[in-house]
Amino acid sequence: MSRAKLLFVFMLMVLLLAACGNNNQETSTDEGSSVDESQEGAGVTELSMWIHQSGEEETEFYKKRIEEFNEAHDGEIKINVEVVMDDGGSSYNDSLNAALVAGNLPDVLALDGPFVASYADAEIIAPIDEYISDEDKEDFVDSILQQGTYNDQLYSLGAMESSVVLYYNKEIFEEEGIEAPTTIEDAWTWDEFMAVAKQLTTDDRYGLNLFMDYGVGEWYTYMGAPFIWSNGGELISEDGTTVDGYLNGPESVEAFEYVKSLFEEGVVSLTPSETQFESGNAAMALGGPWIAVSAENAGMDYGMMPYPYSEVPKSPSGSMAYAISTQAEHPEAAYKVMQWMTNEESVIGLSEVTGMPPARKSAFESMEEYNELPKKIMRDQVVQTAHARPTTPAYPVLTDAFAQAFHAMALGEDAQSTLDQQVTRVERELRRFNQ
């Protein structure tokens, strides 16, 4: 690896850690998760794979599917898998970058979808266009392909999608006589959304929870970018060369001013409690699929509505994905692993375990819960309005700039000047890739 490439990798590691947080812990692997190397057979292609540690059920699902892959490909391919610590902070990315510098990246790896372009540009992961069939590719929802594509080449595939919907407390809505929209066509406009949020705000209850307690990081970009997209704006130019006139353009400024008004009107708390929505201290919540799980565990009667919009409905997307390392000696065999971990059976099983929407159209057709409310809202957004975060190698800096600006709006700062300052940062980073 060249000195320039090593320098980029170091810079990427720093930026990824800044975007994900500063909660450093030692990396660990799950004991017993690796396949016994003493079982090697002659002529077997042996591959290494990293998966991120998540919830116990999700992690066990990954390990089970890998065991089933090894059984199905006995005598042909065998995966040695490591479950690597993912603390929601820096540990997983820390491990990936350390392995890269040491020259021992796994053949197949999991990575956070929005960072695909960064790894692709650094030649850490390899394109898979020559392996995936047109029929298989067509079955993935568009946002998964958008997330995994850089410079017109496909690098990653995800087994699950995600979305942010507007959750609401049915009991409170009934008391207030508010009827929730049930289709994207009937989604609330910004004005309608603000009016309802004000109506629902009382001395002891907020109208809306934006989960600001998640901290200044990727959540703000993931949850907040549709405010810009639905207002006709973009975070970056189509060719990926500049954010000037986009992140700080009139559509973006107007969107950030709207976010600012939510706080100025007092309908959102900057410091909500962890269970503000579930405990009834917020009537609505703009949250991910995991909120359905916590609401159900709290025994609350909740519903889902589409993401509110300005000019055209847009919704967030993106999650963990699989990619092949450029260090892989057997990329075709590695792709078979990717294909297995993202096939219909894997996608459906993962959705059932995590509550996240599936990444394949065929899976949506097979899963009845996504054909009826409330989850139909999530399905419709994934299929119709999902918008992938920008695929640019400068994404680590861009997402931090967005998050900082979003937080500044919550603090009441001026949108135009804040965005102009953040654009200066991102433009400086983009110059490294525009040469």
Side-chain angles (χ1 to χ4, degrees):
M1 184 179 292
S2 68
R3 181 177 179 182
K5 189 69 69 178
L6 280 170
L7 177 60
F8 173 78
V9 169
F10 174 76
M11 292 294 294
L12 174 62
M13 179 171 66
V14 172
L15 293 169
L16 285 173
L17 298 188
C20 294
N22 296 313
N23 185 17
N24 293 305
Q25 295 183 11
E26 290 186 6
T27 299
S28 66
T29 58
D30 186 269
E31 292 185 6
S33 63
S34 295
V35 178
D36 185 356
E37 295 187 16
S38 66
Q39 300 297 314
E40 270 188 74
V44 175
T45 299
E46 197 172 1
L47 301 173
S48 59
M49 180 178 184
W50 279 12
I51 58 175
H52 67 295
Q53 185 184 50
S54 51
E56 183 177 353
E57 284 189 83
E58 183 179 345
T59 300
E60 288 303 314
F61 175 80
Y62 293 138
K63 291 162 65 176
K64 177 175 178 291
R65 288 299 288 159
I66 291 165
E67 288 172 3
E68 291 169 348
F69 177 93
N70 284 336
E71 292 172 2
H73 297 79
D74 185 36
E76 177 192 358
I77 304 172
K78 183 174 68 175
I79 312 172
N80 298 315
V81 62
E82 291 185 19
V83 182
V84 180
M85 175 70 76
D86 184 358
D87 58 5
S90 63
S91 55
Y92 187 76
N93 287 321
D94 214 351
S95 301
L96 279 178
N97 285 286
L100 171 69
V101 174
N104 58 0
L105 276 172
D107 298 293
V108 183
L109 61 148
L111 72 163
D112 198 1
F115 297 97
V116 166
S118 297
Y119 284 105
D121 189 79
E123 299 178 6
I124 296 169
I125 57 176
I128 60 171
D129 298 277
E130 64 182 293
Y131 307 118
I132 188 170
S133 69
D134 291 340
E135 181 181 5
D136 198 32
K137 189 175 181 179
E138 177 63 27
D139 193 36
F140 285 94
V141 296
D142 291 343
S143 52
I144 286 291
L145 302 179
Q146 292 169 9
Q147 171 183 269
T149 301
Y150 176 63
N151 280 349
D152 297 323
Q153 290 184 297
L154 183 63
Y155 284 86
S156 75
L157 293 172
M160 59 184 174
E161 244 299 356
S162 63
S163 196
V164 170
V165 298
L166 187 57
Y167 292 87
Y168 67 98
N169 187 311
K170 286 188 174 181
E171 182 179 351
I172 295 175
F173 266 50
E174 186 175 346
E175 291 173 355
E176 295 289 337
I178 299 171
E179 185 175 347
T182 58
T183 66
I184 289 175
E185 290 74 22
D186 294 328
W188 283 335
T189 64
W190 283 358
D191 288 343
E192 292 170 326
F193 182 43
M194 176 66 82
V196 173
K198 286 181 179 180
Q199 179 182 341
L200 293 170
T201 300
T202 65
D203 290 340
D204 56 1
R205 183 183 69 210
Y206 284 93
L208 176 67
N209 185 351
L210 292 181
F211 301 99
M212 301 298 287
D213 55 309
Y214 287 178
V216 184
E218 188 61 27
W219 167 249
Y220 288 1
T221 308
Y222 171 64
M223 172 271 294
F227 283 108
I228 289 179
W229 298 327
S230 82
N231 200 39
E234 291 291 345
L235 277 63
I236 191 170
S237 62
E238 187 175 355
D239 62 6
T241 60
T242 183
V243 294
D244 194 13
Y246 296 89
L247 183 59
N248 62 344
E251 297 88 354
S252 296
V253 171
E254 186 178 18
F256 273 99
E257 288 286 2
Y258 180 78
V259 170
K260 179 180 175 180
S261 71
L262 291 171
F263 292 90
E264 289 179 334
E265 295 293 342
V267 302
V268 182
S269 171
L270 181 59
T271 57
S273 65
E274 187 176 348
T275 59
Q276 187 191 57
F277 175 65
E278 294 86 345
S279 62
N281 293 319
M284 299 184 292
L286 208 51
W290 52 90
I291 301 304
V293 177
S294 60
E296 288 168 8
N297 291 340
M300 74 177 297
D301 191 9
Y302 72 92
M304 297 182 189
M305 294 181 281
Y307 199 110
Y309 72 99
S310 172
E311 300 295 333
V312 59
K314 294 291 181 180
S315 58
S317 70
S319 190
M320 296 296 290
Y322 297 102
I324 299 172
S325 162
T326 52
Q327 295 177 8
E329 295 183 4
H330 304 282
E332 189 169 359
Y335 176 72
K336 289 183 179 181
V337 180
M338 282 183 63
Q339 188 178 39
W340 177 275
M341 296 300 288
T342 59
N343 66 20
E344 186 176 352
E345 184 178 354
S346 292
V347 164
I348 291 174
L350 186 59
S351 180
E352 291 173 343
V353 167
T354 63
M356 302 288 277
R360 285 182 176 268
K361 300 169 187 174
S362 57
F364 275 124
E365 295 302 322
S366 300
M367 302 181 73
E368 287 298 323
E369 62 266 39
Y370 285 101
N371 293 312
E372 56 190 36
L373 295 174
K375 285 194 172 182
K376 185 178 183 298
I377 297 293
M378 203 175 291
R379 168 194 170 148
D380 290 347
Q381 287 197 161
V382 169
V383 175
Q384 299 179 36
T385 66
H387 192 303
R389 282 160 280 180
T391 50
T392 169
Y395 185 77
V397 173
L398 175 57
T399 185
D400 184 63
F402 187 100
Q404 295 293 341
F406 195 94
H407 185 66
M409 295 307 97
L411 298 176
E413 297 183 20
D414 179 70
Q416 185 70 68
S417 59
T418 297
L419 291 170
D420 287 343
Q421 291 172 9
Q422 295 300 333
V423 160
T424 300
R425 288 181 56 208
V426 183
E427 287 292 302
R428 186 183 307 118
E429 177 67 7
L430 282 170
R431 282 196 290 271
R432 300 178 51 243
F433 304 102
N434 293 339
Q435 296 175 355

